[in-house]
Amino acid sequence: MARADFKFFFAFRVRYSEVDAQAIVFNAHYLTYFDTAITEYFRALPYDYKSAVAAAGCDYHTVRALVEYKQPLSFDETFDVGVRVARIGTSSVRFALEAHGAQTDDLRATGEVVWVYTNQSTGRPQAVPEAFTSRVTALEGDAIRAT
């Protein structure tokens, strides 16, 4: 995807503790960046994730996480992570993510995270709440709905 395909970005700066002996961001930190950006995406919708989980007794479980590294990020560099919901299924949500140099099309990494909405008492998948789906659809459009 191109940067223009994302309607939401969250800005980061690489901290010293995130780089490895090669002076680039250690690979596992990209998942932390992606997770943080997803949390901020929820705030921007706005969708009160914490209250929704408490009220429903259901929460999302990560069932897939993928990162493809394109170019490294270095200490003190600023960058943006784009988040979009690529698909909402009956009980799952697939996020598409991209890390770019700050305010540029300089692609550094791509990613995918898939969550399954699950009843916390039974461990069984549940339908993704309409309150969430409607807010995402308002931002992303109807293309996100599973066919």
Side-chain angles (χ1 to χ4, degrees), residues 115-142:
W115 287 356
V116 172
Y117 193 63
T118 307
N119 181 297
Q120 296 301 282
S121 296
T122 66
R124 304 293 306 157
Q126 303 294 305
V128 174
E130 182 58 34
F132 173 72
T133 301
S134 63
R135 289 178 192 269
V136 171
T137 301
L139 177 64
E140 305 287 358
D142 283 327

Side-chain angles (χ1 to χ4, degrees), residues 87-123:
R87 180 180 184 276
I88 297 180
T90 303
S91 62
S92 65
V93 179
R94 181 168 47 93
F95 296 93
L97 303 115
E98 288 187 357
H100 291 264
Q103 312 250 331
T104 71
D105 275 330
D106 185 15
L107 183 62
R108 303 308 185 84
T110 63
E112 176 183 272
V113 173
V114 178
W115 287 356
V116 172
Y117 193 63
T118 307
N119 181 297
Q120 296 301 282
S121 296
T122 66

